[in-house]
Amino acid sequence: MRVLIDKLYNTSNLDKNELEMLLNNLTSEDRDYLIDKAYEVRQKNYGKTVFFRGLIEISNICKYDCFYCGIRASNKKAKRYRLSKEEILECCNTGYSLGYRTFVFQGGEDSYFSDEILEEIIITLKKQYCDIAITLSLGERSEDSFKRLYKAGADRYLLRHETMNKELYQKLHPRMSLQNRINCLKSLRDIGYAVGSGFLIGLPGLKLSDYKEDLMFLKDLKPHMVGIGPFIPHEDTPLKDEIGGTAEDTITLLAIIRLLLPDVLLPATTALGTIDPKGREKGFRAGANVIMPNLSPMECREKYSLYKGKVFLGNESAQEKIKIEKSVIEAGFEPILKRGDNIRWKRK
């Protein structure tokens, strides 16, 4: 396994069979070696920096019914909300005053947020603040929509492919198509966005070696950002009784992704911090270099419940920022609030 890890470290590449062999045969010592190598690559590309993104969860209304998601359309227990333009701008103004220079708009697939509404918000922010980046994570849209939002000033788009297992994707995503998701990601890349994809770890029926398909897809796509996290069952979904993904598998895959895509922006997700109190810090050690503190209104944060037990600090944005900065520094890393673009991305 050390030979394969060294090859991955030196060439940023393994074929599918080699990835499967690596995933199937890692001992704890091999895994430690893998993480050390990922940390070296992280250091070469980004040093000890951890980029902060201000997350704004703009709506928990969704027209789709994904089996694992707590805000799925058929969950009648979800307490729905939608932020107004004014509330979104207020969240950004608060974040800017705290030093944030990237804002991430995340939400369910809420048809209310038309191109016109999003354009107005993006243009207003870009006129007000010339040094910010805007990331959208709002699901599948048409190519024309992606183009309009990019022209308005959106810089990045996050759209996880979730799983490359077509049969499982179809089962878990009624009325959706894996091919359409892939087409969206390729359109985003071609338009000029800094593109983010990623997948869930621990979905029912998947083994660690099955993620070779996801890793090969990412290697081909060459995204600027990759978001992975453990599947955590939500009590109000069809998968409520399933076993979730593990922190160990998540951290292992973070390390492999860092070696496959050396310059990628790689978040240590809230979900990882939910299943392991030190999960995000361990993620940084394995190559992650992004964290997304929450700027959403306090009364909305618990309502954006994608999975059970989501980390919720209960602090206002300023206090939350201070607490997370402290944890990053104590882990031996440097919190950075500037835009923090991928080193190979430039706006067209």
Side-chain angles (χ1 to χ4, degrees):
M1 291 307 101
R2 300 292 176 98
V3 172
L4 287 178
I5 294 169
D6 285 341
K7 180 180 177 181
L8 185 55
Y9 173 78
N10 289 314
T11 69
S12 305
N13 198 32
L14 291 178
D15 65 31
K16 190 185 297 188
N17 291 333
E18 289 170 328
L19 281 171
E20 183 171 17
M21 185 180 295
L22 181 65
L23 290 165
N24 275 334
N25 295 287
L26 280 173
T27 66
S28 59
E29 291 80 11
D30 293 332
R31 186 172 171 274
D32 289 343
Y33 185 72
L34 172 72
I35 288 169
D36 287 344
K37 288 298 183 182
Y39 184 70
E40 284 183 39
V41 172
R42 177 204 203 285
Q43 289 274 84
K44 288 179 184 177
N45 287 280
Y46 292 104
K48 290 183 175 291
T49 57
V50 174
F51 296 113
F52 276 46
R53 316 309 201 188
L55 176 65
I56 303 165
E57 296 159 334
I58 68 173
S59 172
N60 72 347
I61 297 168
C62 189
K63 63 186 179 184
Y64 287 122
D65 223 15
C66 303
F67 277 26
Y68 49 79
C69 184
I71 64 170
R72 63 197 306 260
S74 64
N75 181 9
K76 304 304 180 186
K77 295 182 181 179
K79 297 177 181 178
R80 305 293 179 176
Y81 74 90
R82 174 189 292 136
L83 299 186
S84 66
K85 172 193 171 184
E86 290 71 26
E87 288 173 318
I88 293 170
L89 293 175
E90 183 179 347
C91 291
C92 292
N93 292 336
T94 298
Y96 193 89
S97 69
L98 291 172
Y100 291 96
R101 294 300 180 264
T102 287
F103 300 109
V104 181
F105 298 167
Q106 185 180 80
E109 298 217 19
D110 183 351
S111 300
Y112 168 82
F113 284 102
S114 64
D115 295 340
E116 291 77 14
I117 289 173
L118 290 171
E119 281 176 327
E120 191 176 349
I121 294 169
I122 294 165
I123 290 169
T124 299
L125 283 169
K126 284 296 186 96
K127 283 183 178 176
Q128 188 172 359
Y129 305 119
C130 63
D131 57 343
I132 64 169
I134 294 176
T135 303
L136 303 179
S137 182
L138 302 173
E140 297 175 2
R141 304 176 77 92
S142 70
E143 185 173 1
D144 285 343
S145 174
F146 291 145
K147 286 179 179 177
R148 285 183 64 172
L149 299 178
Y150 185 74
K151 185 177 179 182
D155 301 284
R156 307 170 186 152
Y157 206 103
L158 305 177
L159 185 67
R160 299 203 308 192
H161 67 268
E162 305 298 5
T163 177
M164 285 304 293
N165 183 312
K166 187 175 181 180
E167 183 180 345
L168 182 60
Y169 187 96
Q170 207 59 54
K171 180 181 177 182
L172 298 180
H173 302 87
R175 299 185 295 111
M176 299 181 77
S177 156
L178 177 58
Q179 188 58 54
N180 189 61
R181 175 98 8 162
I182 293 169
N183 292 343
C184 285
L185 284 163
K186 291 180 177 177
S187 291
L188 289 162
R189 181 189 62 191
D190 294 344
I191 290 165
Y193 283 92
V195 177
S197 189
F199 54 94
L200 274 170
I201 297 159
L203 286 170
L206 293 183
K207 307 184 297 294
L208 186 61
S209 60
D210 293 328
Y211 301 111
K212 64 183 182 293
E213 302 291 348
D214 299 282
L215 295 169
M216 293 300 292
F217 171 71
L218 291 174
K219 186 63 180 175
D220 179 64
L221 181 68
K222 296 180 175 59
H224 305 88
M225 305 169 283
V226 171
I228 65 169
F231 157 63
I232 303 174
H234 189 289
E235 58 195 3
D236 299 323
T237 69
L239 302 186
K240 63 181 179 181
D241 296 322
E242 298 289 346
I243 297 171
T246 67
E248 180 174 295
D249 286 351
T250 304
I251 291 164
T252 298
L253 286 160
L254 281 172
I256 292 173
I257 291 167
R258 172 56 65 198
L259 293 174
L260 270 179
L261 301 165
D263 56 23
V264 77
L265 294 167
L266 193 58
T269 62
T270 303
L272 179 56
T274 296
I275 63 171
D276 182 338
K278 290 293 183 181
R280 290 194 286 200
E281 290 80 358
K282 293 175 184 176
F284 298 143
R285 184 71 181 77
N289 63 338
V290 173
I291 196 167
M292 295 193 283
N294 204 325
L295 294 175
S296 306
M298 287 295 294
E299 64 272 16
C300 298
R301 296 186 192 183
E302 285 185 294
K303 297 175 185 175
Y304 198 82
S305 176
L306 304 182
Y307 48 82
K308 186 177 180 181
K310 176 182 173 184
V311 171
F312 177 68
L313 297 181
N315 294 330
E316 293 290 348
S317 297
Q319 286 74 34
E320 181 165 326
K321 171 177 170 282
I322 291 167
K323 186 170 183 177
I324 295 175
E325 279 182 327
K326 183 180 178 183
S327 70
V328 169
I329 292 167
E330 287 176 350
F333 297 92
E334 179 187 2
I336 300 291
L337 276 76
K338 64 183 181 181
R339 282 178 56 119
D341 290 302
N342 181 292
I343 55 178
R344 63 180 165 84
W345 180 82
K346 264 193 172 180
R347 190 176 181 89
K348 286 186 178 179

